[in-house]
Amino acid sequence: MKKGGGAGYEARERTAPKAESLVLEPRLERIEEVVRKRTRSLTVVLDRLEDSFNMAAVLRTCEAMGLQEVHVIEHPEAKFDPHSKVTQGCDKWLDVRIHRDFAACREYLHSRGFEIQVSAMREGAASLFELKFDRRLAFVFGNERHGVSDEVLSGADGVFWIPMRGFSQSLNVSVAVAATVTRAIAWRLERASEDGDLTPEERAELTERFQLLSVKQRKRIYRGQRTP
Amino acid sequence: MKKGGGAGYEARERTAPKAESLVLEPRLERIEEVVRKRTRSLTVVLDRLEDSFNMAAVLRTCEAMGLQEVHVIEHPEAKFDPHSKVTQGCDKWLDVRIHRDFAACREYLHSRGFEIQVSAMREGAASLFELKFDRRLAFVFGNERHGVSDEVLSGADGVFWIPMRGFSQSLNVSVAVAATVTRAIAWRLERASEDGDLTPEERAELTERFQLLSVKQRKRIYRGQRTP
């Protein structure tokens, strides 16, 4: 089995066509457009969510609105397991990073220059509608039943809330993320071009990765269509 | 049994205290604030939804954001039955009107001067971020799997979409409602006062109704706390 394995690998490597040549033209254009609009300077942090539908709805919203990164602080008793019926496979286009706790997540985001804003109803919380989105921002959303922890509240750089006007004093977490992310994207669209903010290097890296993912997808589809 | 029934009724009517006198002061202030911010000139129409969590999340978002009315075109095979775990009882503060079909809903809304905007990805659809919210607007959102029907598309006054920037080409319906309603409210907040737009008569009517609902709620709580 071992004999010839190396050569075979090398041969495959030499003859393997580039992913780009295997992807259909409309798909290449779609990838180019998505990459051009992508942002790494807005991100969402999910703090110990429990519900797989909520996890999934958040991922789909973030992907659809052009965010590349989502951060997850896993619930000690509920694995991060977004429901695939709701994600519709969108998670493969995202960088979802799992952190063991908020301290680790905070250190990582701060090292990359992110300001951490926590969603909570607190005295002095800033209105979402008054926030400026002109910098690296990470928005933290807490557990469905318990909200964000004291550790998160005290370790964040700011607290914001979505101004509510009714008797209901809270929103479903996927609804809160949707309100926040669409607000941020709309704010930026009004003040800058339609483009995202990846560097040329980040664009090249992501384009290649998306092309590879598209090839894998096509292969899967072809397998599914093969006549037995 | 019949004897004295009329008199008893009259007696109860004479001695029944006004709801206002039975509601605690902080609650009265809360009711006044909610009524002051309430709007009847923005509404959401749900076109044959199937999922009770989605129905519930939409009601909670609308109530929390100050909408008084929600319209429902019921699915022929799925009763409108918002999940109470998600509504958290907020639906009692809303006017939820069920229509037998879109034609009936359209006629009702048009008779009250509403413009009907349907959420759908279509050539020529207006961007949510470019809509003006300075008039009576009803936003229609379609079924989770099939979207809005052709009947709705052809019978509406306009089509809009939430500009998406990723590979995902659709949003969960409760997410789409959240993005639309918070956008509309933020737009109005930037251009007008924090107040809603009820007439003095509508305010008085709603205040009284909310006070009555609060009394019923208090009675329920007292019953729950009674020592056996």
Side-chain angles (χ1 to χ4, degrees):
Chain A
M1 286 297 281
K2 193 164 183 256
K3 188 184 158 213
Y9 180 74
E10 273 170 35
R12 270 202 295 281
E13 204 169 46
R14 265 201 308 276
T15 56
K18 287 218 163 198
E20 189 181 343
S21 67
L22 290 171
V23 184
L24 298 176
E25 189 59 31
R27 190 66 178 179
L28 287 177
E29 283 169 16
R30 184 94 188 90
I31 289 172
E32 193 188 318
E33 189 194 350
V34 168
V35 169
R36 182 168 52 78
K37 294 183 177 173
R38 219 61 162 174
T39 179
R40 284 189 184 277
S41 66
L42 285 178
T43 188
V44 163
V45 180
L46 300 177
D47 180 28
R48 300 164 301 121
L49 293 204
E50 292 176 39
D51 183 272
S52 62
F53 279 86
N54 281 335
M55 298 169 190
V58 167
L59 293 189
R60 192 153 134 224
T61 302
C62 291
E63 202 288 312
M65 297 310 291
L67 274 55
Q68 183 57 32
E69 300 182 21
V70 175
H71 296 267
V72 171
I73 300 158
E74 214 165 35
H75 192 285
E77 283 145 37
K79 199 172 137 45
F80 186 76
D81 186 23
H83 200 290
S84 60
K85 189 184 129 191
V86 181
T87 60
Q88 300 183 350
C90 79
D91 38 342
K92 73 163 176 283
W93 308 110
L94 292 171
D95 295 328
V96 180
R97 185 180 274 253
I98 313 270
H99 302 270
R100 67 177 179 278
D101 54 27
F102 177 67
C105 178
R106 179 173 181 265
E107 193 184 330
Y108 175 80
L109 289 171
H110 275 173
S111 76
R112 288 180 51 215
F114 277 90
E115 181 181 306
I116 299 172
Q117 286 281 347
V118 178
S119 169
M121 280 189 77
R122 284 288 180 289
E123 191 86 28
S127 160
L128 170 69
F129 301 150
E130 280 157 21
L131 283 185
K132 294 183 197 306
F133 302 91
D134 53 0
R135 53 200 186 278
R136 291 188 165 228
L137 283 165
F139 301 103
V140 189
F141 298 87
N143 178 277
E144 291 91 344
R145 289 180 294 145
H146 311 298
V148 288
S149 64
D150 289 340
E151 185 199 6
V152 173
L153 277 172
S154 60
D157 304 305
V159 180
F160 77 103
W161 79 302
I162 301 162
M164 284 171 273
R165 311 156 60 79
F167 292 104
S168 305
Q169 289 292 298
S170 70
L171 295 167
N172 172 279
V173 63
S174 70
V175 160
V177 171
T180 305
V181 170
T182 51
R183 172 69 183 177
I185 294 297
W187 192 96
R188 287 187 172 185
L189 279 174
E190 272 167 29
R191 286 158 184 84
S193 88
E194 247 208 343
D195 291 358
D197 52 18
L198 303 189
T199 64
E201 293 73 25
E202 286 172 331
R203 282 191 191 197
E205 184 273 325
L206 208 55
T207 301
E208 203 186 327
R209 202 200 320 168
F210 286 167
Q211 286 174 356
L212 269 167
L213 283 166
S214 295
V215 173
K216 281 184 188 162
Q217 198 177 32
R218 273 190 68 200
K219 277 187 182 157
R220 207 159 49 219
I221 289 164
Y222 286 148
R223 260 207 299 280
Q225 290 175 335
R226 190 187 296 162
T227 314
Chain B
M1 286 298 282
K2 196 164 177 257
K3 189 184 159 215
Y9 178 73
E10 272 170 36
R12 269 202 296 284
E13 204 170 47
R14 265 201 309 275
T15 56
K18 285 220 163 197
E20 189 180 343
S21 67
L22 291 171
V23 184
L24 298 175
E25 189 58 30
R27 191 63 178 181
L28 287 177
E29 284 169 14
R30 185 93 189 88
I31 289 171
E32 192 188 321
E33 189 194 349
V34 168
V35 169
R36 184 167 50 79
K37 295 182 176 173
R38 221 59 164 176
T39 178
R40 284 189 184 276
S41 66
L42 284 178
T43 188
V44 163
V45 180
L46 300 177
D47 179 27
R48 300 165 302 121
L49 293 203
E50 292 176 39
D51 183 273
S52 62
F53 280 87
N54 281 335
M55 298 168 189
V58 167
L59 293 189
R60 192 153 134 224
T61 303
C62 291
E63 202 289 312
M65 297 311 291
L67 274 55
Q68 182 59 30
E69 300 182 20
V70 175
H71 296 267
V72 172
I73 300 158
E74 214 165 33
H75 191 286
E77 282 145 36
K79 201 174 137 46
F80 187 74
D81 185 22
H83 200 291
S84 61
K85 190 185 128 191
V86 181
T87 59
Q88 300 182 352
C90 79
D91 38 343
K92 74 163 174 283
W93 309 111
L94 292 170
D95 295 328
V96 179
R97 184 179 275 254
I98 314 270
H99 302 270
R100 66 177 180 278
D101 54 26
F102 177 66
C105 178
R106 179 173 180 266
E107 192 185 331
Y108 176 80
L109 290 171
H110 276 173
S111 76
R112 288 179 51 214
F114 277 89
E115 181 182 309
I116 300 173
Q117 287 280 345
V118 178
S119 169
M121 280 189 76
R122 283 291 179 289
E123 192 84 29
S127 160
L128 170 69
F129 302 150
E130 280 157 20
L131 284 185
K132 295 184 197 307
F133 302 90
D134 53 1
R135 53 199 185 279
R136 292 188 165 228
L137 283 164
F139 301 102
V140 189
F141 298 87
N143 177 276
E144 291 91 345
R145 290 181 294 145
H146 310 298
V148 288
S149 66
D150 290 341
E151 184 199 4
V152 174
L153 277 172
S154 60
D157 304 304
V159 180
F160 77 103
W161 78 301
I162 301 162
M164 285 171 272
R165 311 157 58 80
F167 292 104
S168 305
Q169 289 291 298
S170 70
L171 296 167
N172 172 279
V173 63
S174 70
V175 160
V177 172
T180 305
V181 170
T182 52
R183 172 69 183 177
I185 294 296
W187 192 95
R188 287 187 171 183
L189 279 174
E190 273 166 29
R191 286 160 184 82
S193 88
E194 248 208 343
D195 291 358
D197 51 18
L198 302 189
T199 63
E201 293 73 26
E202 286 171 331
R203 283 192 192 196
E205 183 273 326
L206 209 54
T207 301
E208 202 186 328
R209 200 197 326 167
F210 286 167
Q211 287 173 355
L212 269 167
L213 283 166
S214 296
V215 173
K216 281 185 189 163
Q217 196 176 35
R218 273 188 68 200
K219 277 189 185 157
R220 206 157 52 216
I221 289 165
Y222 287 147
R223 261 207 298 279
Q225 289 173 339
R226 189 188 298 163
T227 313

PDB file of all heavy atoms in Angstrom, chain A residues 29 164 199 201:
ATOM      1  N   GLU A  29     -18.218  34.613 -10.909  1.00  0.00           N
ATOM      2  CA  GLU A  29     -18.646  36.017 -10.766  1.00  0.00           C
ATOM      3  C   GLU A  29     -19.352  36.245  -9.439  1.00  0.00           C
ATOM      4  O   GLU A  29     -19.168  37.256  -8.776  1.00  0.00           O
ATOM      5  CB  GLU A  29     -19.587  36.403 -11.925  1.00  0.00           C
ATOM      6  CG  GLU A  29     -18.829  36.657 -13.212  1.00  0.00           C
ATOM      7  CD  GLU A  29     -19.757  36.785 -14.420  1.00  0.00           C
ATOM      8  OE1 GLU A  29     -20.974  36.977 -14.224  1.00  0.00           O
ATOM      9  OE2 GLU A  29     -19.255  36.677 -15.559  1.00  0.00           O
ATOM     10  N   MET A 164     -36.724  49.487  22.519  1.00  0.00           N
ATOM     11  CA  MET A 164     -38.046  48.868  22.399  1.00  0.00           C
ATOM     12  C   MET A 164     -39.095  49.844  22.911  1.00  0.00           C
ATOM     13  O   MET A 164     -38.815  50.709  23.716  1.00  0.00           O
ATOM     14  CB  MET A 164     -38.052  47.549  23.149  1.00  0.00           C
ATOM     15  CG  MET A 164     -37.306  46.464  22.363  1.00  0.00           C
ATOM     16  SD  MET A 164     -37.042  44.942  23.281  1.00  0.00           S
ATOM     17  CE  MET A 164     -35.502  45.317  24.114  1.00  0.00           C
ATOM     18  N   THR A 199      -8.583  43.222   2.758  1.00  0.00           N
ATOM     19  CA  THR A 199      -7.355  43.627   2.067  1.00  0.00           C
ATOM     20  C   THR A 199      -7.243  42.791   0.789  1.00  0.00           C
ATOM     21  O   THR A 199      -7.893  41.755   0.665  1.00  0.00           O
ATOM     22  CB  THR A 199      -6.119  43.344   2.943  1.00  0.00           C
ATOM     23  OG1 THR A 199      -6.027  41.927   3.144  1.00  0.00           O
ATOM     24  CG2 THR A 199      -6.219  44.043   4.292  1.00  0.00           C
ATOM     25  N   GLU A 201      -4.958  40.814  -0.034  1.00  0.00           N
ATOM     26  CA  GLU A 201      -4.504  39.472   0.348  1.00  0.00           C
ATOM     27  C   GLU A 201      -5.688  38.655   0.892  1.00  0.00           C
ATOM     28  O   GLU A 201      -5.845  37.486   0.566  1.00  0.00           O
ATOM     29  CB  GLU A 201      -3.401  39.546   1.424  1.00  0.00           C
ATOM     30  CG  GLU A 201      -2.087  40.156   0.948  1.00  0.00           C
ATOM     31  CD  GLU A 201      -2.162  41.663   0.751  1.00  0.00           C
ATOM     32  OE1 GLU A 201      -3.015  42.325   1.404  1.00  0.00           O
ATOM     33  OE2 GLU A 201      -1.397  42.192  -0.090  1.00  0.00           O
TER      34      GLU A 201
END
